Amino acid sequence: MRPGGAFSRGRNAGPVSTRKPVSTAVEMSAHKKVIRIEENITLSQMAQRLSLKSTELLMKLLSMGMTGVHINTSLDADTAKILASEFGWEVEDVARSEDQIIAAARGEEKVVREGEAADIVARAPVVTVMGHVDHGKTSLLDKIRKANVAGGEAGGITQHIGAYKVNTSHGMVVFLDTPGHEAFSQMRARGASVTDIVILVVAADDGVMPQTKEAVAHAKAAKVPIIVAVNKIDKPSAEPERVKRELAELGLQAEEWGGDTMFLHVSALSGEGIPALLDAVGLQSEMLELIANPKTAASGTVLEALLDRGRGPVARVLIQDGTLRVGDLVLAGAGFGKVRAMTNEHGKQVHEAGPSTPVEILGLSDVPNAGDQVHVVKDPKKAQEIAEQRKGKMAKSMVPATAKVSLEELSRRISESGQQELRVIIKGDVQGSVEALAEALSKLTCDKARLSIIHAGVGAITEGDVNLAVAARAIIIGFNQRPAGKAASLADENKIEIRAYSIIYNAVDEVRAAMEGLLPPTLQEKVLGHAEVRQLFKVKGQGIAGSFVLDGLVRRGGKARLLREGAVLWEGKMAALRRFKDDAKEVLEGFECGISLDGYSDLKEKDVIEAYEIEEIKQKL
Ligand code: GDP
């Protein structure tokens, strides 16, 4: 299905798309020659449609100043337009909106189904815990989870799958187990809304702090109701009334003060007040009248996703509507595939997951992002099409704008010639670190050198990455990722440097140092030559080894080691070197000389003195 070849990207997103465009229509009208493409097209596909040779297009691009191109390079619509115009063609971008495609892929053009109202049920609320650092968010989540486990789930251990369900007297409640407003706002930034209720944790001994205010702002912006958990009530220094007062100033009026915000006194340490807090959540949820239809095709949101070495892409998903079943075909961000296995928060295999259920799913082709929508779809071809399209977009957005390989970029590069450029390909284990590293590295551009990220993606370093590096003359940075398969040997053959890091700071530091020409040199030993001891004698009480230089040279004051029958007996400095009666600086191959070693006199005939030096080699990056 994939065109493959040296630039095939495997399952990883890349600037090189192997997607087969759907529309291959070539229209010829009287005067205009038009080709239609969807967002992007590979150079070879374009050549085919223009009835030209790929090399002709390649030459044209190169003559326009674009470097690092290859026949499988994916051209964006803008570049394609410029290129096509050079040959008298016009490009029409016929990208369909993603919503249209999803609707078609779901096979659900019809929105309202007969009898659907009867299928509607109440669903469990989804709760996010927010608040200032150290006010007890994690402790509270832990306490709630543990109390729930004691409540009887077989096995008892809860696995981290991004969320868990808790039974309360008002029914089930789902807790997202990444506390803090960052996760919340990150989701919102991706257009996802998973939270129905926010529990705002405020330490009774500390009161409203900056992040408390932020949390309130986030929840209000998302129009999500807030329940206040006044925590650490067990502390003697607790001042719950102060918390109430300070929050009132932020517009959260306690019920007993005539407002509509529930305040609960809790201790995440002792567990006091937690059942009441859960009841409050249940009550709030009843007021929200949350509903879902378990009979419809499932949809939800990715809470977390990662690439597992053994299991492949793993997505922790919150099902928000419908029911997801093993075997369903799902689309999640840039990933799609049949759900191979599903596990709940207790690590148990499950076959289906209804509304407001967190599950971990296996079987996706690619690692989606947190906040990505998940949909069950019917049409595998369309699902793949959407996934590939998203992958292309993602690759573009992950690579900072400055890294775009376009004609525009090229001309700028040319006008800025003289400046060094370091091109980088980043491969990492999770989306978050790849983004963070790309972001940090892209800021390193300085007067002396520009840094361009030509590709950034999740997954192992593949042969495709190495090929891309060869074409673009880039180095590869692996963040918690190593070369897979033949990638390492291919890189070796092509002298492509692969650097491995597991700490972003270190990667940034070293790249910066390299760009400033300050990368610490590595030390390498270089053997200068060998001399064989032929005769031992003494001059003024000092032992001298009458020697013959076998190869290379020996140097006075230089580093030396003594070898006897191949074994190293001693290492140190050559103290004195003489030719006849005079001191000599160096004695070359084929000459005799007298050598004395610094601090070693137990020499024997046939011993070999090896002279060497330590060379500083500037590291390449
Ligand atoms: P987070 O940063 O909001 O997640 O806060 P943590 O849950 O890490 O808690 C910060 C500190 O407060 C930890 O040392 C907890 O043991 C402590 N802590 C949390 N809740 C309580 C509580 O109810 N009472 C007391 N005394 N200490 C608490």
Side-chain angles (χ1 to χ4, degrees), residues 77-91:
D78 290 340
T79 309
K81 272 176 200 160
I82 300 171
L83 187 58
S85 70
E86 291 285 322
F87 294 97
W89 286 72
E90 260 182 41
V91 169

Side-chain angles (χ1 to χ4, degrees), residues 140-152:
L140 187 67
L141 279 164
D142 279 354
K143 198 77 184 175
I144 292 170
R145 177 166 33 195
K146 284 189 186 124
N148 184 48
V149 169

Side-chain angles (χ1 to χ4, degrees), residues 387-583:
E388 294 283 352
Q389 213 170 74
R390 285 178 176 170
K391 209 160 33 170
K393 270 191 202 155
M394 196 169 77
K396 266 189 225 159
S397 66
M398 274 215 305
V399 176
T402 51
K404 209 171 148 202
V405 183
S406 66
L407 295 183
E408 189 188 331
E409 171 64 14
L410 240 300
S411 61
R412 191 166 72 216
R413 207 176 291 160
I414 289 157
S415 71
E416 283 172 2
S417 67
Q419 193 189 36
Q420 292 292 316
E421 188 191 24
L422 179 63
R423 296 185 204 171
V424 180
I425 292 172
I426 302 171
K427 291 305 285 284
D429 53 346
V430 289
Q431 203 80 7
S433 47
V434 171
E435 278 175 30
L437 189 58
E439 171 80 29
L441 288 180
S442 65
K443 288 190 186 139
L444 292 179
T445 290
C446 60
D447 297 344
K448 282 189 203 152
R450 267 169 47 77
L451 188 135
S452 301
I453 294 160
I454 57 167
H455 171 53
V458 174
I461 298 160
T462 62
E463 286 170 60
D465 295 321
V466 176
N467 282 323
L468 185 61
V470 174
R473 280 164 288 124
I475 63 155
I476 300 174
I477 291 185
F479 190 76
N480 288 329
Q481 284 297 356
R482 296 285 178 277
K486 295 199 187 108
S489 55
L490 188 65
D492 238 28
E493 272 165 40
N494 291 286
K495 300 198 167 51
I496 291 296
E497 190 179 15
I498 299 181
R499 298 182 75 94
Y501 296 95
S502 53
I503 298 168
I504 291 185
Y505 176 82
N506 286 349
V508 174
D509 233 36
E510 282 200 21
V511 172
R512 181 192 296 117
M515 292 177 71
E516 290 166 354
L518 295 173
L519 204 63
T522 51
L523 303 177
Q524 200 178 57
E525 183 187 307
K526 190 175 152 201
V527 172
L528 297 172
H530 298 90
E532 190 182 55
V533 179
R534 297 265 162 104
Q535 200 183 0
L536 295 157
F537 49 89
K538 275 195 162 54
V539 176
K540 291 176 191 165
Q542 206 197 356
I544 301 275
S547 314
F548 179 80
V549 182
L550 300 170
D551 60 82
L553 58 86
V554 292
R555 187 179 287 162
R556 174 162 50 103
K559 289 183 183 295
R561 58 172 65 97
L562 184 69
L563 310 173
R564 186 170 297 161
E565 283 159 17
V568 176
L569 288 192
W570 170 91
E571 267 184 316
K573 242 170 74 178
M574 192 173 292
L577 181 64
R578 280 163 208 259
R579 274 284 291 158
F580 305 108
K581 291 229 152 59
D582 304 320
D583 280 342

Side-chain angles (χ1 to χ4, degrees), residues 127-384:
V127 177
T128 298
V129 173
M130 299 211 267
H132 194 72
V133 63
D134 277 348
H135 278 197
K137 300 179 292 292
T138 313
S139 307
L140 187 67
L141 279 164
D142 279 354
K143 198 77 184 175
I144 292 170
R145 177 166 33 195
K146 284 189 186 124
N148 184 48
V149 169
E153 191 55 53
I157 311 151
T158 46
Q159 315 250 334
H160 175 83
I161 62 162
Y164 52 88
K165 274 184 159 180
V166 172
N167 220 339
T168 75
S169 56
H170 289 263
M172 283 286 185
V173 176
V174 178
F175 281 87
L176 295 187
D177 72 1
T178 339
H181 55 244
E182 265 166 54
F184 184 83
S185 52
Q186 191 193 354
M187 290 264 177
R188 287 233 309 140
R190 293 197 196 273
S193 57
V194 288
T195 305
D196 300 307
I197 296 168
V198 162
I199 292 184
L200 180 66
V201 176
V202 188
D205 62 341
D206 205 20
V208 168
M209 297 307 266
Q211 284 166 284
T212 319
K213 290 183 185 167
E214 264 179 45
V216 172
H218 280 297
K220 282 193 168 169
K223 297 196 170 55
V224 175
I226 298 173
I227 294 176
V228 179
V230 183
N231 191 33
K232 306 197 186 185
I233 202 74
D234 58 287
K235 281 196 159 182
S237 53
E239 282 185 86
E241 290 305 304
R242 185 183 128 207
V243 174
K244 236 176 243 179
R245 220 169 36 240
E246 289 173 348
L247 281 177
E249 284 168 22
L250 297 179
L252 295 180
Q253 285 273 1
E255 281 176 327
E256 53 271 39
W257 289 4
D260 55 8
T261 304
M262 290 190 262
F263 277 68
L264 285 301
H265 292 181
V266 301
S267 167
L269 203 63
S270 69
E272 178 192 340
I274 289 180
L277 176 67
L278 294 180
D279 282 348
V281 171
L283 209 66
Q284 179 67 258
S285 144
E286 279 171 12
M287 291 192 276
L288 292 173
E289 295 177 352
L290 305 166
I291 51 165
N293 178 0
K295 292 201 176 154
T296 188
S299 59
T301 299
V302 176
L303 300 176
E304 291 174 350
L306 53 104
L307 185 69
D308 185 286
R309 256 169 237 276
R311 299 182 296 165
V314 175
R316 291 156 182 173
V317 169
L318 178 73
I319 306 302
Q320 291 168 291
D321 202 3
T323 299
L324 183 66
R325 293 183 179 83
V326 171
D328 278 350
L329 182 64
V330 293
L331 182 63
F336 82 103
K338 273 211 166 93
V339 177
R340 200 154 31 106
M342 268 201 289
T343 29
N344 68 11
E345 71 261 47
H346 305 290
K348 272 212 289 200
Q349 296 272 345
V350 289
H351 295 288
E352 53 175 53
S356 291
T357 306
V359 277
E360 189 174 87
I361 63 173
L362 303 183
L364 290 175
S365 61
D366 247 276
V367 183
N369 281 313
D372 276 344
Q373 297 296 302
V374 179
H375 291 291
V376 165
V377 291
K378 288 196 178 128
D379 185 337
K381 267 182 80 179
K382 281 191 181 128
Q384 181 180 14

